[in-house]
Amino acid sequence: GVPRTVAGLEGQWALFGLGKFGGVAMGYASDIELLFVYSDGGQTDGAEPLGNAEFYDRFVRLLAESITAKREGVFHVDTRLRPYGQSGPLACSLESFCRYYGGGGAAQAYERLALARLRAVGGNAALGAQVERLRDEFVYANRKLDLQALRELRMRQLAEKAQAGQYNAKFSPGALVDLEYDVQILQVTHGYRAPKLRTPRIHEALGALSELGIL
């Protein structure tokens, strides 16, 4: 059946890109990082009703399985940047999104920073735009950046991903991960007064940072 809200309205959903996909900077073997948000709780109106949470969880699972590449590991679907990561449901309700990323929510510093790359890519356009506006409020209006937590995460990445004495183009000091973090941090730091910086697109963000004299 069709997912319905508790008020009987047809449920809506929206799909978002994050990371390189959200930033429109996909490369060879980039992960397709996705976040799925649905409008409200309730259940389907079929002969054997399903709760909306279970319905959309199955939907996301099917979506991930349907995207295949000729070689294993190329364009792998990654849903780990959802609220509560691998411990949370594959599909996130709008209420859960607001609780997790809003003021006093449980989101970690790197998860809030990752929202700078959130971009609506499918589903209901109105819900997609609503979540993007909420993102702007949670990330750019609040400007709460725990730089110490981000530094500690970066040091863990360095220890786990880069071997001593060998250069890693992604994880070594000054490599791609540092550049990406720096761009996102500058976007969040200055985005509250410079709307041009509130873009998920990496190349647009770099251009705006240069135009504004920040870089």
Side-chain angles (χ1 to χ4, degrees):
V2 175
R4 299 280 177 184
T5 69
V6 290
L9 303 174
E10 184 173 341
Q12 302 294 339
W13 59 269
L15 187 66
F16 301 87
L18 290 161
K20 294 290 180 64
F21 181 42
V24 194
M26 294 282 283
Y28 179 75
S30 291
D31 287 343
I32 303 174
E33 294 182 288
L34 297 177
L35 175 66
F36 187 99
V37 179
Y38 61 94
S39 58
D40 207 346
Q43 63 181 23
T44 63
D45 59 7
E48 298 181 10
L50 278 179
N52 285 353
E54 183 178 356
F55 177 91
Y56 287 121
D57 185 88
R58 294 186 185 185
F59 185 99
V60 176
R61 203 175 299 277
L62 182 62
L63 174 67
E65 291 173 355
S66 71
I67 299 174
T68 60
K70 290 183 178 180
R71 186 171 298 176
E72 183 67 27
V74 176
F75 303 134
H76 170 73
V77 174
D78 186 351
T79 59
R80 289 175 297 175
L81 279 176
R82 64 189 186 270
Y84 304 102
Q86 292 177 312
S87 301
L90 289 173
C92 165
S93 70
L94 182 60
E95 179 184 1
S96 177
F97 178 89
C98 293
R99 283 203 313 266
Y100 192 74
Y101 292 109
Q108 300 295 311
Y110 76 91
E111 293 176 301
R112 294 184 187 279
L113 194 63
L115 288 184
R117 294 286 167 262
L118 181 137
R119 176 173 63 95
V121 297
N124 182 268
L127 179 59
Q130 181 182 5
V131 171
E132 288 180 332
R133 288 194 299 271
L134 287 167
R135 180 275 313 281
D136 288 351
E137 180 180 335
F138 297 155
V139 174
Y140 294 111
N142 287 340
R143 291 183 290 148
K144 292 183 179 178
L145 269 181
D146 188 341
L147 293 177
Q148 182 58 35
L150 291 171
R151 183 183 295 275
E152 291 171 0
L153 169 66
R154 184 67 187 94
M155 295 308 295
R156 289 199 302 273
Q157 286 179 329
L158 182 60
E160 294 171 4
K161 305 286 189 180
Q163 297 182 16
Q166 295 185 13
Y167 186 74
N168 185 302
K170 184 173 182 179
F171 292 105
S172 288
L176 290 173
V177 167
D178 277 340
L179 295 175
E180 175 66 13
Y181 280 165
D182 285 348
V183 171
Q184 290 176 341
I185 288 169
L186 289 173
Q187 284 183 263
V188 175
T189 301
H190 300 279
Y192 75 100
R193 60 178 177 82
K196 278 188 174 182
L197 293 176
R198 301 173 204 165
T199 174
R201 299 169 183 265
I202 295 172
H203 295 93
E204 285 185 5
L206 284 166
L209 287 167
S210 177
E211 181 182 332
L212 294 165
I214 297 168
L215 277 180

